[in-house]
Amino acid sequence: MIFELKDKVVLITGVNKGIGKALAEGFVRHYAMVYGTVRNQEYFEELKKQNINPILFDVRNFDVIEELFKTIYEKHNRLDCLINNAGISSNTPASMFKPEEVRNIIQTNFEAVFYLCQAYYRFQKKYKANNGCIINISSVLGLVGTTLASIYSGTKGAILQLTKSLAIEWANSNIRVNAICPGFIETDMTENIQKKSQLLQKVIEAIPLKRLGKPNDLVGAALFLASDYANYITGQYIVVDGGMTAM
Ligand SMILES: NC(=O)c1ccc[n+]([C@@H]2O[C@H](COP(=O)([O-])OP(=O)(O)OC[C@H]3O[C@@H](n4cnc5c(N)ncnc54)[C@H](OP(=O)(O)O)[C@@H]3O)[C@@H](O)[C@H]2O)c1
């Protein structure tokens, strides 16, 4: 085992596919007690078979966030790590956005992350926890801009600043808040790139390691940040992008 996560209780949002699924499986492989949110009950049986405890939850449903945490704290009296992974992207040109889509992206990618962090902090206080850990999944598009990513990029940049601010504000409660910035990862979110061979080649040319990332490539950074090896790391982000933003 690279990192010891045994007995740690972890909550990850959006575990039915992509990066969230890989993270949930990775934490289970490292003996963590994993809770994962999904929006559809059809995933429950499969997740249970993989020792992932499924919880039905849409991250925009801010009113039930407290219930989500209550379920876990009442059972374990603790939650060692919250991973805010659920997110959506968009290929809408900036000139074409309608308010409803803008609102949906901001609610899902930013507001939900904030309210989940806030609820986690409140429960940590209530249960008198003496340490805690939040990992927010941002993006390289939180660091650099690109075409057709205006609102998405904006929310991912906001996540990084939120991460730093909460890290400072909650340091005296020993709650570490860090982020991970994936590059281009092979999931449904990048399907439009994967399907267009010319575009895919262009993207790969811009990545020093000459491939898109796999969801599993994110697991190491998350395990590290959630582990006791990262006890003195807060307000930081780890870029997992095959070197793309080093160019
Ligand atoms: N793939 C990349 O290249 C890349 C790069 C940088 C950052 N990221 C970030 O990594 C995270 C995971 O993305 P991914 O690539 O794994 O994408 P994905 O395969 O599309 O998975 C997204 C996950 O988020 C969930 N989700 C979306 N909206 C939700 C909502 N309102 N409530 C609850 N769950 C919701 C989805 O559930 P449903 O299946 O129900 O929609 C799904 O489980 C996102 O935050 C994304 O921005 C991805």
Side-chain angles (χ1 to χ4, degrees), residues 13-21 37-40 43 57-61 84-89 104 107-109 112 136-141 152 155-156 180-190 193-194 213 215 218 240:
T13 59
V15 298
N16 53 301
K17 61 180 184 175
I19 294 170
K21 187 173 197 289
T37 75
V38 287
R39 283 199 284 185
N40 197 323
Y43 301 112
F57 176 61
D58 184 313
V59 296
R60 294 164 303 175
N61 208 347
N84 285 310
N85 164 77
I88 51 170
S89 63
N104 190 27
Q107 278 187 349
T108 308
N109 291 3
N136 292 324
I137 305 300
S138 175
S139 168
V140 288
L141 293 180
Y152 176 78
T155 59
K156 292 299 180 178
I180 295 175
C181 297
F184 288 96
I185 311 299
E186 277 174 18
T187 69
D188 287 357
M189 196 172 271
T190 54
I193 298 172
Q194 295 173 58
L218 278 308
V240 184

Side-chain angles (χ1 to χ4, degrees), residues 3-221:
F3 298 116
E4 192 57 71
L5 275 302
K6 197 167 177 335
D7 298 332
K8 286 205 190 280
V9 184
V10 179
L11 169 63
I12 306 170
T13 59
V15 298
N16 53 301
K17 61 180 184 175
I19 294 170
K21 187 173 197 289
L23 294 181
E25 290 168 355
F27 276 80
V28 167
R29 280 197 303 278
H30 285 73
Y31 304 110
M33 169 67 64
V34 178
Y35 285 82
T37 75
V38 287
R39 283 199 284 185
N40 197 323
Q41 215 146 2
E42 78 180 72
Y43 301 112
F44 271 35
E45 284 315 308
E46 191 200 328
L47 290 169
K48 280 185 198 159
K49 275 189 213 144
Q50 295 176 287
N51 284 325
I52 298 163
N53 300 290
I55 302 180
L56 201 61
F57 176 61
D58 184 313
V59 296
R60 294 164 303 175
N61 208 347
F62 306 144
D63 292 345
V64 300
I65 286 180
E66 208 176 307
E67 282 302 308
L68 168 73
F69 285 94
K70 210 168 152 201
T71 311
I72 300 171
Y73 278 87
E74 282 185 350
K75 191 145 187 215
H76 302 280
N77 283 308
R78 55 195 273 222
L79 176 60
D80 299 290
C81 186
L82 162 68
I83 303 183
N84 285 310
N85 164 77
I88 51 170
S89 63
S90 157
N91 294 312
T92 305
S95 60
M96 302 296 283
F97 266 112
K98 295 203 166 72
E100 196 186 336
E101 193 186 1
V102 172
R103 208 173 306 126
N104 190 27
I105 301 171
I106 293 175
Q107 278 187 349
T108 308
N109 291 3
F110 182 73
E111 273 187 72
V113 173
F114 172 71
Y115 287 123
L116 282 154
C117 290
Q118 184 191 57
Y120 179 56
Y121 175 86
R122 289 176 177 168
F123 271 85
Q124 287 287 95
K125 288 279 143 191
K126 190 171 164 190
Y127 280 76
K128 302 191 185 334
N130 55 13
N131 58 32
C133 168
I134 296 172
I135 301 172
N136 292 324
I137 305 300
S138 175
S139 168
V140 288
L141 293 180
L143 300 167
V144 299
T146 190
T147 184
L148 302 182
S150 54
I151 302 299
Y152 176 78
S153 200
T155 59
K156 292 299 180 178
I159 289 296
L160 292 179
Q161 300 315 318
L162 176 72
T163 298
K164 291 180 198 173
S165 296
L166 294 182
I168 296 165
E169 193 165 324
W170 295 345
N172 59 6
S173 301
N174 209 17
I175 296 177
R176 298 183 298 106
V177 191
N178 292 294
I180 295 175
C181 297
F184 288 96
I185 311 299
E186 277 174 18
T187 69
D188 287 357
M189 196 172 271
T190 54
E191 203 183 5
N192 64 323
I193 298 172
Q194 295 173 58
K195 278 196 308 208
K196 294 179 192 147
S197 64
Q198 277 187 335
L199 177 59
L200 179 63
Q201 279 322 307
K202 227 174 122 186
V203 170
I204 289 174
E205 271 165 33
I207 302 172
L209 289 180
K210 295 293 171 234
R211 64 171 177 88
L212 297 192
K214 305 254 183 226
N216 259 328
D217 289 322
L218 278 308
V219 174

